[in-house]
Amino acid sequence: MTNRLPCLNSPSLVSSTPETMLTRSLLRLWFFVVVFRDGGSQNLEESEVVEQLYSTSVVAMEDLLEFNADLLFQLDSYIDILEARINLIRRIANYMMKHYSRDSMQGNLLSHFRLLRHMQTDWAHVLELMEQPLGKSQLLFLKESRPHYPSASDLEEGSFGIQRIQQIYRLQLKDMVSGVLDGVQHGTSFSTLESFTVARALYRRYRYHEALPWLEQTLSLYEQTSEEAGESYQLLGFDVSQTHKLYIEGLMKLNRYEDALEAIDRDPKPYLRRLRDRVEMLMTSSNDLPLEKPNPQLTTLQLCCRGGCPYRGMHRLTCSYNTTVTPFLRLAPFKTEILSHSPYMVLYHDVITPLESETLRNLSRPHMKRRAMTYNKQTLRPTIDPKRTSNSVWFKSNSNAVIERLERRAGHMTNFEMEYSEVYQMLNYGIGGHYYPHVDHFESPEALKQRKIGDRIATILFYLSDVPQGGATLFPFLNISVQPRQGDALLWYNLDDRGRGEMDTVHTSCPIIRGSKWALVKWIDELSQPFRRPCNR
């Protein structure tokens, strides 16, 4: 159960060529529409794009799905060309077997000449026909598309997202691969290939405790597959013998030698004999105890992301129509739900319309990219921050009509001066999308010295979509979790009345299980607020 007050829910408050298909796919994936610039976002150079990643945004997944459809179309066309060539050669072969077999030869000069012409001319044509390359355009499409496939690091990050969901929501692996996520049955399940991909990513990062259950599940899924499916897996590069060996070697790395022997004896394959000798040798020569899997207590993140935040006293908290912050609110009050008095935190309802949300999502889609959040101190180049898995884009306060309206609305919501506040950041999360616990104010004095507008006095988080499962904004020190709902806006103060950072505003985003989380962030800075919120020093 979240700590949202229920009172505001009461009735009292209201066909192409391969070349054109390749161009279309690449435009869809990489082209930034010029017409959106006036209604749009910050330049790529200003946003510091690093690498195209699909796993960090549901929007990118939609593009990838369209890209996959184009590739499948080309593959189907290639199959049609091969079948047409096979049928042609089969017809020629049937004709030649009928007219130039030994039985058809009658021993006269006409037959001899027919055979001579046939051997000199017809077989040359057959050879020429067989040497002709097939599906040139289809092969070219696939080759030129290859740089735009998801990278190995992208697949690895998606694998870690799957593991993150399992860990935070404490999902049973058997349920997870069958499509049961946090008690909800979904229509998608994992095959042997997906299970192995997650296991391999964890194994390569030496996360053996986490990788072994996935490897075990991989072998179990493979045993349940049909012979036809097993052959397809092998054609796609899956090797069950190597997977079996990897599982046993993982047990050995955790000093679980008896379990390794049991796994070998349970399915004694010839390729495991040498591995069995190694295990027996290590058992006799090593005194190391098995490395036990850590079993930490449930964290606040795990409790609250599943809707189980501990109860906190809320007898002073209220929900009402806000008509007092600015004179305008007397005409159009906000539905207001106070979540915390210290630090101040309030949830506004229905402050952004579905049409406005859709407009901002559509404006953002062509520009959404994974942004760099950290810098490599040696190369001075932007690098991926693994603590935040999302794609984003920036909007200036005068970017378009919707943002301009939101800017005025934010001023009415907060009574803060908005002229020198920061630009808006649009976020969309992907597989296991999350943001590790952090604060929005600047903890480093050096960082503040570089800012002419001071620290971030407050944050407004607009929710532009519903998230059916997962994706809550969580404040673990306050035991507050807020489930995204289209039209809501969450406001909190990052600084106290002396201008000091409120450490209780540490917040994070729970991993998303189902749906697409769109959020728009606005940071309001302190130096333009001396008469709106004076410091009590």
Side-chain angles (χ1 to χ4, degrees):
M1 178 181 297
T2 63
N3 285 323
R4 290 275 301 277
L5 291 178
C7 56
L8 289 175
N9 297 324
S10 64
S12 60
L13 297 175
V14 237
S15 72
S16 305
T17 64
E19 290 78 7
T20 58
M21 291 193 70
L22 176 60
T23 303
R24 190 181 76 224
S25 292
L26 299 187
L27 284 175
R28 183 185 298 115
L29 293 173
W30 301 101
F31 182 62
F32 292 90
V33 183
V34 176
V35 72
F36 283 138
R37 188 178 65 180
D38 294 334
S41 56
Q42 195 170 344
N43 294 332
L44 291 182
E45 293 77 12
E46 298 172 0
S47 299
E48 295 159 348
V49 177
V50 281
E51 176 187 0
Q52 168 67 24
L53 294 176
Y54 299 102
S55 64
T56 55
S57 172
V58 173
V59 173
M61 285 293 167
E62 294 171 359
D63 295 336
L64 196 59
L65 190 61
E66 293 293 333
F67 191 24
N68 181 63
D70 290 342
L71 292 172
L72 286 174
F73 177 84
Q74 295 302 321
L75 182 61
D76 192 55
S77 300
Y78 186 67
I79 293 171
D80 290 343
I81 292 172
L82 293 179
E83 288 179 342
R85 181 61 57 86
I86 290 172
N87 291 334
L88 176 61
I89 294 176
R90 182 175 287 116
R91 284 165 47 202
I92 293 173
N94 290 337
Y95 176 84
M96 292 169 70
M97 285 187 285
K98 179 179 179 181
H99 295 283
Y100 298 102
S101 65
R102 183 178 295 275
D103 295 338
S104 65
M105 293 293 107
Q106 299 181 6
N108 55 51
L109 63 91
L110 296 179
S111 297
H112 295 160
F113 182 79
R114 287 182 68 243
L115 179 62
L116 183 67
R117 186 213 61 81
H118 166 66
M119 295 299 295
Q120 197 280 330
T121 305
D122 293 349
W123 279 106
H125 283 299
V126 170
L127 178 61
E128 182 180 355
L129 182 64
M130 295 175 67
E131 287 181 338
Q132 287 178 1
L134 298 178
K136 278 186 176 181
S137 59
Q138 287 77 17
L139 290 172
L140 179 64
F141 182 92
L142 265 65
K143 287 180 179 179
E144 293 187 353
S145 300
R146 186 68 185 92
H148 309 291
Y149 296 176
S151 64
S153 61
D154 198 1
L155 183 59
E156 180 183 68
E157 183 152 3
S159 300
F160 293 157
I162 294 295
Q163 176 61 22
R164 189 181 307 116
I165 288 177
Q166 184 200 8
Q167 178 185 9
I168 290 179
Y169 293 99
R170 297 180 69 84
L171 305 179
Q172 295 296 321
L173 190 54
K174 185 177 180 180
D175 292 338
M176 191 174 185
V177 298
S178 63
V180 179
L181 303 177
D182 201 21
V184 179
Q185 176 67 59
H186 296 267
T188 304
S189 59
F190 268 12
S191 72
T192 301
L193 300 180
E194 286 81 43
S195 181
F196 177 71
T197 299
V198 177
R200 182 177 56 188
L202 296 169
Y203 196 96
R204 287 175 174 174
R205 290 300 182 98
Y206 313 108
R207 296 164 61 174
Y208 303 120
H209 284 299
E210 298 168 323
L212 286 178
W214 283 99
L215 285 170
E216 192 172 3
Q217 191 65 46
T218 300
L219 294 170
S220 175
L221 289 172
Y222 186 79
E223 290 174 358
Q224 300 170 27
T225 57
S226 63
E227 183 177 350
E228 181 182 358
E231 291 176 355
S232 298
Y233 295 157
Q234 293 177 26
L235 291 173
L236 292 172
F238 177 74
D239 188 336
V240 66
S241 63
Q242 291 298 320
T243 305
H244 202 171
K245 290 172 65 176
L246 198 66
Y247 173 65
I248 294 169
E249 288 173 352
L251 291 171
M252 294 167 62
K253 291 181 182 295
L254 297 178
N255 302 333
R256 294 171 54 183
Y257 304 123
E258 292 183 0
D259 292 337
L261 279 180
E262 183 181 344
I264 293 173
D265 294 339
R266 188 166 56 242
D267 190 13
K269 302 288 186 182
Y271 56 80
L272 296 177
R273 290 174 184 170
R274 186 173 298 177
L275 198 57
R276 193 183 202 287
D277 295 338
R278 282 178 54 198
V279 175
E280 290 178 336
M281 182 184 69
L282 287 170
M283 285 186 69
T284 57
S285 62
S286 175
N287 296 323
D288 295 333
L289 295 176
L291 300 176
E292 298 295 334
K293 182 179 180 179
N295 189 23
Q297 293 183 342
L298 283 175
T299 64
T300 303
L301 180 64
Q302 291 171 317
L303 284 171
C304 292
C305 284
R306 298 191 66 181
C309 276
Y311 177 79
R312 60 191 294 268
M314 304 179 68
H315 62 279
R316 296 180 56 198
L317 306 186
T318 61
C319 50
S320 62
Y321 280 113
N322 188 338
T323 61
T324 59
V325 175
T326 63
F328 177 78
L329 296 188
R330 296 180 182 178
L331 300 175
F334 287 122
K335 297 177 182 179
T336 306
E337 183 177 346
I338 297 178
L339 301 183
S340 172
H341 286 296
S342 180
Y344 182 72
M345 184 180 301
V346 60
L347 182 65
Y348 294 100
H349 295 270
D350 302 325
V351 297
I352 180 169
T353 68
L355 180 59
E356 289 172 329
S357 296
E358 182 181 6
T359 300
L360 290 177
R361 293 197 302 266
N362 291 337
L363 286 172
S364 302
R365 279 189 171 93
H367 307 276
M368 297 294 288
K369 293 291 178 181
R370 178 71 180 272
R371 258 64 186 182
M373 300 300 296
T374 60
Y375 288 87
N376 186 308
K377 294 182 180 180
Q378 295 180 345
T379 63
L380 299 179
R381 292 175 60 86
T383 59
I384 289 292
D385 184 357
K387 296 181 179 180
R388 184 174 192 169
T389 55
S390 65
N391 283 12
S392 63
V393 67
W394 302 91
F395 287 101
K396 296 179 180 179
S397 58
N398 59 352
S399 296
N400 54 70
V402 175
I403 289 292
E404 289 177 354
R405 288 200 298 271
L406 282 185
E407 184 82 351
R408 292 192 296 270
R409 213 168 293 164
H412 292 309
M413 292 163 59
T414 63
N415 197 31
F416 283 142
E417 176 62 54
M418 306 298 293
E419 183 177 0
Y420 299 109
S421 60
E422 296 184 39
V423 295
Y424 289 82
Q425 185 183 33
M426 175 74 87
L427 298 170
N428 182 252
Y429 293 82
I431 298 175
H434 78 299
Y435 196 172
Y436 272 39
H438 65 284
V439 292
D440 285 353
H441 62 265
F442 291 88
E443 301 177 84
S444 168
E446 289 75 17
L448 276 178
K449 290 179 181 178
Q450 300 176 10
R451 291 172 54 87
K452 298 179 180 179
I453 52 180
D455 211 339
R456 294 167 173 169
I457 193 172
T459 299
I460 307 177
L461 182 62
F462 296 92
Y463 295 112
L464 306 187
S465 65
D466 296 327
V467 180
Q469 203 175 2
T473 303
L474 170 64
F475 295 80
F477 293 165
L478 300 173
N479 292 335
I480 292 176
S481 64
V482 178
Q483 188 65 26
R485 189 176 76 93
Q486 191 280 318
D488 287 357
L490 183 63
L491 164 69
W492 68 89
Y493 286 178
N494 298 305
L495 307 179
D496 63 17
D497 57 4
R498 292 177 178 268
R500 299 172 303 191
E502 291 272 19
M503 293 309 298
D504 282 349
T505 61
V506 168
H507 57 284
T508 182
S509 176
C510 296
I512 298 161
I513 296 179
R514 179 172 174 264
S516 179
K517 181 179 179 181
W518 287 88
L520 185 68
V521 185
K522 179 68 170 180
W523 292 292
I524 304 172
D525 297 295
E526 64 174 333
L527 288 191
S528 54
Q529 318 300 333
F531 303 108
R532 301 297 179 99
R533 193 190 183 215
C535 282
N536 180 18
R537 300 190 187 275

